[in-house]
Amino acid sequence: MIEMWYPLPCPPGCQAAERRAFAALGRALASDDASARQVARERCLAKDNAALTAATHVLIDLVGQGWNVRVDDHEVAIAPPLGVADPVEEKNRVRRQELIKRDEQLAIPSVRRFIATMEKPREFEGKFVSIFSLMRDGKELSTALQALDSDGDADLAHLRAVIDPYVQIVSSERCAQTGFRLMDIWRYFRHTWSNQYTSTPGRTMMILIRDRAASFHPVIGIAALGSAVVQLAERDDWIGWQPTVFLEHLGAAPTLRMARWITARLQTALDELYVDDLVKDGLYWPSLWNNPATEAIERLLKEAETRRRDHHRFVKPTDFKKVHDADDVKGWRRRAESDLFRSKRCLALADLLSARQALAPYLYPKASRTGLSNALDNPKARRAIMSVLRRAKADAVGTEIADLTVCGAVAPYNALLGGKLVSMLAVSPTAVKAYHRRYSTYASEIASSMAGRPIRRRSNLVFVGTTSLYGSGASQYNRIRIPPEVLGGSSPIEFRQLGRSKSFGTSHLSAESVRALVRLAEQTARGARVNSIFGEGVNPKFRKVRHGFDLLQWPSDTLLQHGRQRIIYGISLVDNLLPYLLGSDAEPSYKFRRRKGTADVDAISAWWMHRWCHPRSKSPAVLEAVTAHRLTRPVRHGARVTLPDLPLAAGEHEQLELY
């Protein structure tokens, strides 16, 4: 591969001394002299220049991640590392990237206090317990597994006496065995991952997989289902609702059903817009829907621009307090009439009127198959249909599609491929039912803010997506296939590889770099346009980081490529995925038979034991790996959080080594 070099100019506005300091930093980073690097870093940061500070932190991070740096005539240039052919080497490279932010997080005093508190013994119902009570001793588990084979009797009943999994949905309740908050248990084990623990906006349902076969019901693994990424080409191609693919299929077989679906979706979108204030101000009137006028559409677009500008000039985050009561119509109406959502409503209404105008000659006053066929031959009408599709997709992505954002087993179960068990139980009928119960009464924040009243979307989980942490593969997802007979369904539930991600993000940048870029963006008039208010747009911090790079005049598209292409997986839970997501099918046709209780968890666990756990437990190397995780004091167990080497606060050492 050819090494590609990109110039990183000293930030605009820097004085001659600052430009010399930045060039000196580049030369120091190109050398192996650690002391010279430290001196050059301190010189740059001492200049108290926000742009130079951001440039300094980013350059140091990139070099630390294997990027090459050179300085020619005081001009700094950088080249990304060449691709690594060896998958083990690549996995180690990615792990080093992730550990930067993970260790930064574990160095935060409040996080370290949380870890210490969870590990400190406390009395509960006459027994002393700690988070170690929720870890299974590896030697005990290994001995129990060996005893099965020594007796020549390893049927399901005997296996379940050794490992008996069940699903526990994390709520505000406490653990019946230890008294810990379920959320704290989940959080502790999440800190054992090699990547940073971050909360995400939108829906999040956390899951514990526990083992009732052992005392205190130790944790087998953890999972979390969260709001799906809105735009993901590989997923959308596979589902079939990428605009080009969708229109191609629609053109090949136009139907009366789809013609009616288009007009129904337009009407539903109109009904879910609050327009009272727009009618009052003469921007909209009911008869306009049947005869859209171009002049009226242009007025709405102008109003949207004006209101968006006012929002950026006058908004305060406190103006967007959460509407805690989902049925508070007045609260939703106040949100709808804010500058931000009035702008969004005007844009949406203009878009709907434009679509209605383009489709009027073909699907109105009565939708027909012939009309749809003719509409597909007209460029404006095709764009209108694509607009309808985008709206249908937006309604479903945040409600009936979820991402498996966290998934994995903890020691010693990980040596028995417990990650595969956690993966399957995270998409089990029990998880699907829990998701529906949690969100069936949930009012969509954006939709309700647009409608000025509570809008509740369908909450039937029908598709789950996830990605590998490493581009070389994810053993816990590979070859996972739940046969139809396991759940008494119509077809298998499979983890399918859909492609690879584009490897964009900030995971290779330290928290210092991200904060410096965000601060730089917020100090500019343009940067203030990103206010981190829910409803402004996707991922405001990422947009600020990108804007920070733009202010430095550095190539953001290049520098935001962390060089890690994750494998994208998709799991369809229904046989009618696309028709149901679009709304043309009223009900999902699940691939499993609905059962009462936890019969599905028992069935999936039995399949995991038969397919993976028992065969693997016959391996001496695996049993040795299981045995290594001991709870004897001091605890040396793989499910214990490993804190980075830092000076301990007073009293912290005693707490951490108490066990």
Side-chain angles (χ1 to χ4, degrees):
M1 296 179 65
I2 300 175
E3 198 168 36
M4 298 292 295
W5 288 91
Y6 299 90
L8 299 185
C10 191
C14 285
Q15 303 299 316
E18 293 169 332
R19 291 196 295 271
R20 288 194 297 272
F22 185 66
L25 175 65
R27 283 190 289 270
L29 291 172
S31 72
D32 294 327
D33 189 337
S35 60
R37 290 183 173 192
Q38 182 63 26
V39 170
R41 174 184 181 274
E42 291 176 358
R43 281 184 61 196
C44 288
L45 297 181
K47 300 298 182 181
D48 196 24
N49 179 316
L52 183 59
T53 296
T56 299
H57 287 308
V58 172
L59 184 58
I60 291 171
D61 281 350
L62 294 176
V63 172
Q65 292 296 327
W67 291 55
N68 295 319
V69 63
R70 71 185 185 193
V71 181
D72 297 324
D73 295 330
H74 302 292
E75 294 296 327
V76 177
I78 199 161
L82 299 177
V84 182
D86 182 5
V88 175
E89 175 86 22
E90 173 64 7
K91 187 172 182 177
N92 290 334
R93 184 186 72 83
V94 173
R95 184 177 176 83
R96 288 194 298 270
Q97 277 190 355
E98 295 290 355
L99 286 175
I100 290 176
K101 285 190 174 180
R102 200 285 298 268
D103 287 350
E104 282 180 344
Q105 184 176 57
L106 291 179
I108 297 172
S110 61
V111 175
R112 292 168 71 86
R113 285 194 298 271
F114 168 76
I115 301 300
T117 299
M118 295 295 289
E119 294 182 352
K120 182 180 180 180
R122 66 179 71 178
E123 188 175 0
F124 178 72
E125 295 185 350
K127 298 179 181 179
F128 279 97
V129 298
S130 71
I131 193 65
F132 300 125
S133 304
L134 296 175
M135 302 176 193
R136 189 155 186 183
D137 184 79
K139 185 175 182 180
E140 176 270 322
L141 176 57
S142 176
T143 301
L145 290 170
Q146 291 179 74
L148 291 177
D149 280 339
S150 64
D151 294 339
D153 192 356
D155 61 21
L156 178 59
H158 287 79
L159 274 171
R160 199 171 289 282
V162 176
I163 303 177
D164 190 7
Y166 68 95
V167 173
Q168 186 171 42
I169 305 300
V170 174
S171 64
S172 59
E173 297 178 359
R174 292 182 176 269
C175 169
Q177 281 69 40
T178 62
F180 286 114
R181 293 172 61 235
L182 295 179
M183 179 64 218
D184 288 343
I185 295 172
W186 191 96
R187 177 188 170 192
Y188 179 91
F189 288 109
R190 176 60 182 84
H191 280 305
T192 65
W193 262 231
S194 62
N195 59 340
Q196 179 189 23
Y197 165 39
T198 58
S199 59
T200 55
R203 301 182 176 193
T204 300
M205 187 176 82
M206 300 172 181
I207 302 170
L208 291 168
I209 308 299
R210 300 182 66 173
D211 184 359
R212 63 167 62 89
S215 299
F216 297 109
H217 297 190
V219 172
I220 296 174
I222 63 173
L225 291 168
S227 296
V229 175
V230 176
Q231 300 290 344
L232 190 60
E234 293 79 7
R235 176 199 66 198
D236 296 343
D237 282 340
W238 189 80
I239 290 175
W241 61 6
Q242 279 282 57
T244 53
V245 176
F246 178 77
L247 290 177
E248 181 180 339
H249 290 167
L250 195 60
T255 63
L256 174 60
R257 183 184 186 189
M258 290 307 297
R260 289 174 173 169
W261 171 79
I262 291 169
T263 57
R265 291 293 312 190
L266 278 174
Q267 186 61 51
T268 298
L270 177 67
D271 293 341
E272 290 185 355
L273 274 183
Y274 174 67
V275 296
D276 289 5
D277 58 334
L278 304 182
V279 171
K280 180 180 178 181
D281 294 339
L283 291 167
Y284 180 74
W285 50 96
S287 62
L288 185 61
W289 181 249
N290 294 320
N291 188 24
T294 301
E295 296 81 4
I297 295 172
E298 290 175 350
R299 283 197 298 271
L300 285 167
L301 292 174
K302 184 177 180 180
E303 174 69 6
E305 182 180 352
T306 300
R307 292 294 182 156
R308 173 68 72 156
R309 187 167 55 248
D310 289 346
H311 164 72
H312 288 306
R313 289 175 60 196
F314 305 120
V315 67
K316 299 176 182 177
T318 54
D319 295 338
F320 285 82
K321 293 181 180 179
K322 186 176 180 64
V323 180
H324 294 286
D325 182 359
D327 294 316
D328 180 9
V329 176
K330 290 183 179 179
W332 292 121
R333 188 163 295 182
R334 283 194 300 272
R335 178 78 67 86
E337 292 177 348
S338 68
D339 285 329
L340 173 62
F341 280 98
R342 175 152 167 146
S343 172
K344 292 169 73 72
R345 287 186 293 116
C346 287
L347 279 176
L349 185 54
D351 186 53
L352 289 174
L353 288 169
S354 296
R356 175 68 171 79
Q357 187 181 55
L359 293 170
Y362 308 103
L363 299 180
Y364 293 91
K366 186 176 181 180
S368 67
R369 176 187 176 281
T370 302
L372 176 57
S373 180
N374 292 335
L376 290 167
D377 291 331
N378 181 278
K380 288 186 177 180
R382 284 173 66 88
R383 287 196 293 271
I385 295 172
M386 289 169 63
S387 173
V388 173
L389 174 65
R390 283 193 298 270
R391 290 180 176 279
K393 175 184 169 183
D395 289 348
V397 164
T399 56
E400 299 183 292
I401 290 180
D403 281 344
L404 190 55
T405 56
V406 176
C407 183
V410 301
Y413 300 95
N414 55 354
L416 298 167
L417 297 185
K420 291 185 181 293
L421 172 66
V422 177
S423 302
M424 291 187 288
L425 292 179
V427 298
S428 65
T430 289
V432 171
K433 285 186 287 188
Y435 184 90
H436 178 76
R437 283 196 302 270
R438 174 165 293 188
Y439 295 113
S440 59
T441 60
Y442 183 86
S444 171
E445 188 160 349
I446 297 296
S448 301
S449 299
M450 296 288 281
R453 69 180 191 279
I455 297 293
R456 294 179 172 87
R457 303 284 186 215
R458 300 181 306 188
S459 58
N460 300 308
L461 187 60
V462 297
F463 180 92
V464 176
T466 191
T467 62
S468 64
L469 182 57
Y470 305 107
S472 56
S475 61
Q476 70 184 43
Y477 299 140
N478 289 342
R479 301 184 304 280
I480 290 185
R481 180 181 183 273
I482 306 175
E485 58 268 21
V486 171
L487 296 175
S490 57
S491 54
I493 296 175
E494 302 176 85
F495 281 63
R496 294 178 176 268
Q497 289 192 22
L498 309 184
R500 290 177 179 268
S501 67
K502 298 298 187 294
S503 69
F504 272 87
T506 61
S507 63
H508 57 310
L509 300 177
S510 66
E512 280 185 323
S513 291
V514 172
R515 283 195 297 268
L517 288 165
V518 168
R519 192 179 305 115
L520 177 62
E522 290 177 340
Q523 287 180 358
T524 66
R526 290 179 60 203
R529 295 183 180 180
V530 181
N531 299 291
S532 300
I533 292 171
F534 194 62
E536 275 195 333
V538 178
N539 203 337
K541 181 178 286 187
F542 182 79
R543 287 184 287 137
K544 289 179 182 179
V545 168
R546 180 182 287 277
H547 183 53
F549 277 125
D550 293 341
L551 292 169
L552 294 177
Q553 297 183 6
W554 288 11
S556 57
D557 284 347
T558 298
L559 300 181
L560 287 171
Q561 290 190 43
H562 47 60
R564 183 179 70 251
Q565 288 191 325
R566 295 180 174 181
I567 299 174
I568 300 170
Y569 294 86
I571 308 100
S572 175
L573 302 175
V574 297
D575 289 319
N576 60 336
L577 183 60
L578 182 58
Y580 176 72
L581 287 175
L582 293 179
S584 57
D585 279 6
E587 296 294 331
S589 177
Y590 279 104
K591 294 184 175 185
F592 49 75
R593 188 169 56 200
R594 297 174 184 266
R595 300 180 180 180
K596 294 182 179 179
T598 59
D600 62 296
V601 174
D602 295 339
I604 290 174
S605 299
W607 167 246
W608 169 73
M609 291 176 185
H610 166 76
R611 175 68 178 82
W612 286 290
C613 178
H614 184 244
R616 192 165 175 82
S617 69
K618 295 180 179 180
S619 165
V622 170
L623 291 175
E624 183 180 355
V626 170
T627 304
H629 303 285
R630 302 302 312 281
L631 290 175
T632 52
R633 304 179 187 182
V635 174
R636 299 290 184 262
H637 197 287
R640 184 181 188 181
V641 175
T642 302
L643 293 171
D645 292 332
L646 289 172
L648 297 177
E652 191 174 12
H653 178 80
E654 290 77 5
Q655 287 189 352
L656 293 177
E657 290 301 325
L658 195 55
Y659 251 72

